[in-house]
Amino acid sequence: MRPILIPDEVRERLLTLRRDLHRSPELAFEEERTADRLYEELATLEPAELSRVAGTGVIARIKGADPGAPIVVVRGDIDALPIQEETGLDYTSMNPGIMHACGHDVHATWAVGAAFLLKSESARGDVLILLQPAEESGKGAAAVLETGVLDEASAVFGAHVDRRYRVGQVVAQPGSLAAAADTFCIELLGSACHAARPHEGLDPTPGAGALIEGLHSIVSRRLKPGTPAVVSIGIVRAGTASNIIPDKVRLEGTLRSMDPETRTLLKLEVQRRAESIAKAHGLEARVSFGVGLPAVVNEAEPTEWARQAVVSVLGDDALATLDSINMAGEDFACYLEKMTGCFLRIGAREDGGEFIPLHTPRFVAADESIFVGSAVLAETARVSSHNL
């Protein structure tokens, strides 16, 4: 990896900012202190415009060399997760049950870092630094778009830390990078009775067991082998006491897919199996779906701009390939439905470090990934601004 040319004073400011954000994590749409801190940091750059957006978000305009050139967006997300931290860091979360287990403290910091770098070496056009709330709820990007602050933007770029890759590696590739994420809820309705006399009621639990097995076979038996998809059940809820047969069982879960056809098929199969298995057990099935995020699909041209930026900043050997299909959701997809852009994965594993999964109590991204993200996103904004 080539040395990243960021002044020492900027590095220290970014490290201080990252630690401050990590110590004080806040959940989706509750990021009041986080937004104040980020606003304060960006204000020192005296951007052309600086304001709050979507409640707890922040947006700053860094002027480019040509006022008439297309506008580019650099996005970082800022919310945390309801997880008790177990990293042992000296800047561990001070908020019980809340931590930055998805690296958004780093994402916010490298967006600010990109602003510093673009202030000293501007892009051709203006760059909007967007610090977005509520990515974890899947509602933050939509809330930002509803305000209209991005209506004039032509392209958007963002990135996610990833400890599957060492610091200095960046995944910038066209095609699907994150899955569409929908939810389902199924209620199987029977009738309650005493557990000692099950014949006096209609027990929904055997039907629920059959349905769980049936749902888990959708991918293996209804999709072409190799088609990326996931059906997972996260909640099974029934009953109030061990000696009462419940009147209903509730199942809730998620559906993940990479293409519209598979997305539609998963919902049809969940509906069909719920209704047919319920009928076989003499039950009634009530099925509902929550339409979630679309898939993140990088277009070829903006991805090439990002790849050029990665090579320019880090060298040819920095480009990595996604080592497995990513079935997680990401609301950056909402921006890509409105404009062109690219979403990157940035290595966050220090030398000799172990792999630690996202969304777990021990997750932490290496400090050096902050500087990689800052430099790569700033250069991506410059390259894309020149090519748009």
Side-chain angles (χ1 to χ4, degrees):
M1 182 179 80
R2 293 175 184 167
I4 299 173
L5 302 178
I6 297 178
D8 289 345
E9 63 271 20
V10 174
R11 285 175 175 260
E12 288 304 314
R13 290 187 69 162
L14 295 178
L15 287 174
T16 298
L17 175 61
R18 186 273 175 98
R19 283 158 171 69
D20 191 11
L21 297 178
H22 194 93
R23 286 190 191 97
S24 303
E26 296 169 296
L27 299 177
F29 289 127
E30 298 177 7
E31 311 98 326
E32 292 292 347
R33 183 192 180 281
T34 301
D36 287 344
R37 180 70 176 86
L38 293 167
Y39 187 102
E40 174 187 89
E41 196 68 39
L42 287 168
T44 66
L45 293 173
E46 299 182 347
E49 297 173 13
L50 179 61
S51 62
R52 294 283 288 267
V53 62
T56 50
V58 180
I59 190 166
R61 182 186 289 258
I62 307 299
K63 294 295 288 183
D66 178 0
I71 296 170
V72 175
V73 182
V74 171
R75 175 268 209 171
D77 39 8
I78 68 174
D79 56 324
L81 285 160
I83 296 175
Q84 181 63 41
E85 184 163 353
E86 298 176 4
T87 61
L89 295 169
D90 58 5
Y91 53 94
T92 194
S93 170
M94 298 186 299
N95 296 339
I98 305 175
M99 74 168 287
H100 274 294
C102 200
H104 294 189
D105 54 329
V106 173
H107 301 174
T109 302
W110 68 32
V112 172
F116 272 94
L117 297 177
L118 288 163
K119 186 71 175 181
S120 61
E121 183 185 344
S122 66
R124 183 168 74 96
D126 292 358
V127 178
L128 301 179
I129 304 297
L130 171 61
L131 296 159
Q132 179 211 298
E135 188 279 329
E136 296 295 353
S137 71
K139 298 178 180 178
V144 169
L145 288 168
E146 286 173 6
T147 69
V149 297
L150 304 185
D151 284 354
E152 297 180 0
S154 297
V156 60
F157 297 90
H160 204 298
V161 292
D162 196 327
R163 284 188 66 95
R164 290 175 297 177
Y165 306 94
R166 59 173 173 78
V167 170
Q169 290 183 303
V170 179
V171 175
Q173 65 187 51
S176 298
L177 203 77
D182 300 311
T183 60
F184 64 87
C185 176
I186 304 169
E187 286 189 330
L188 296 180
L189 307 180
S191 59
C193 62
H194 196 296
R197 293 185 286 273
H199 62 286
E200 295 178 353
L202 187 56
D203 188 352
T205 59
L211 180 56
I212 290 170
E213 183 177 358
L215 294 176
H216 282 157
S217 68
I218 290 175
V219 173
S220 65
R221 288 295 173 266
R222 291 295 296 133
L223 299 183
K224 181 180 178 181
T227 302
V230 174
V231 177
S232 291
I233 300 166
I235 296 174
V236 180
R237 183 176 294 126
T240 57
S242 60
N243 62 348
I244 301 173
I245 287 176
D247 62 349
K248 65 181 177 181
V249 177
R250 183 183 180 95
L251 308 178
E252 296 181 41
T254 185
L255 307 172
R256 305 297 172 109
S257 56
M258 288 294 194
D259 61 83
E261 295 77 15
T262 301
R263 193 178 189 185
T264 298
L265 179 60
L266 291 180
K267 292 178 183 179
L268 290 174
E269 283 297 317
V270 168
Q271 182 86 37
R272 184 177 69 83
R273 292 179 186 226
E275 291 176 351
S276 60
I277 290 173
K279 183 177 181 180
H281 287 80
L283 307 170
E284 176 187 351
R286 294 178 182 172
V287 184
S288 61
F289 296 96
V291 178
L293 301 170
V296 173
V297 182
N298 289 336
E299 295 182 10
E301 188 172 31
T303 302
E304 181 56 32
W305 301 336
R307 290 174 67 86
Q308 292 174 23
V310 171
V311 171
S312 175
V313 172
L314 302 170
D316 291 309
D317 59 349
L319 287 169
T321 302
L322 198 65
D323 64 357
S324 62
I325 296 170
N326 176 30
M327 301 308 293
E330 165 60 62
D331 75 355
F332 189 86
C334 298
Y335 301 122
L336 294 180
E337 289 191 320
K338 303 295 183 181
M339 67 189 87
T340 195
C342 179
F343 194 66
L344 313 175
R345 309 291 294 191
I346 291 181
R349 188 182 75 247
E350 63 282 352
D351 286 344
E354 64 177 314
F355 169 68
I356 305 172
L358 293 165
H359 289 219
T360 61
R362 294 177 53 245
F363 180 80
V364 62
D367 282 339
E368 194 68 20
S369 66
I370 297 169
F371 312 128
V372 173
S374 299
V376 166
L377 287 171
E379 184 62 14
T380 299
R382 295 187 193 105
V383 174
S384 61
S385 181
H386 176 76
N387 284 282
L388 282 166

